[in-house]
Amino acid sequence: MAMSVGDSGDDAPMSDINTTPLVDVMLVLLIIFLIAVPVVIQTIDLALPKVQFEPTTTKPENVALSITGAGGQCQVYWGMTPVTSKELLDKGVEKLRAEIDRQGGPNAAGLELPEVHIRGDVNTPYRCIGGTIYTMQMAGFAKVGFISEPPAGSNVTRM
């Protein structure tokens, strides 16, 4: 804030902008928003799951699928072999049956079903990934998970 006291001999008008009213208004708005935001945002109290990083344990019975969508065409790979939707369903059913039989049948104690791990290219349309998930669920797989890569340089820690 600038003030002129006395006669300095300079008759030019003072051209400094008085910012005090602007700061006062901004502080009042800040206080209003600090009070109003918690009132406006209303949510239902939920117990949200705790996120923790779990390294993927690769088991030989799990199914690893890779999906690309180059040129708008969905391509699914079972391991390194490209498969069609029908072949994917047939191989999935066969794999699940073989694993259940290996563990002693559907009524065996401690039956552990294999999981499906999907690796999808970042440019793959969701319809390709969604169709693969649906096909594997139709084959009988209960657990379908995604393999992702954390951003380079990120610090991934256990919580």
Side-chain angles (χ1 to χ4, degrees), residues 47-146:
L48 297 176
K50 303 295 181 204
V51 177
Q52 71 183 40
F53 170 71
E54 295 180 20
T56 305
T57 54
T58 305
K59 298 176 187 173
E61 63 268 9
N62 290 345
V63 176
L65 300 177
S66 301
I67 306 171
T68 62
Q73 296 294 332
C74 301
Q75 185 59 59
V76 180
Y77 294 87
W78 182 295
M80 297 295 289
T81 308
V83 291
T84 65
S85 183
K86 174 73 172 131
E87 291 171 337
L88 182 64
L89 180 62
D90 293 342
K91 284 184 88 164
V93 169
E94 180 183 323
K95 171 75 172 179
L96 200 55
R97 269 198 199 127
E99 187 58 33
I100 290 172
D101 290 343
R102 186 186 69 79
Q103 292 185 28
N107 297 325
L111 183 66
E112 289 187 31
L113 297 177
E115 302 173 5
V116 177
H117 295 166
I118 295 178
R119 295 174 58 238
D121 185 61
V122 71
N123 297 320
T124 302
Y126 183 74
R127 64 180 173 80
C128 300
I129 294 173
T132 303
I133 293 171
Y134 180 74
T135 302
M136 294 310 286
Q137 287 176 338
M138 291 299 294
F141 286 88
K143 288 187 179 181
V144 179
F146 296 99

Side-chain angles (χ1 to χ4, degrees), residues 12-30:
M14 188 170 60
S15 62
D16 294 335
I17 297 174
N18 186 4
T19 59
T20 304
L22 176 66
V23 171
D24 289 344
V25 169
M26 294 304 288
L27 287 174
V28 168
L29 288 174
L30 176 67

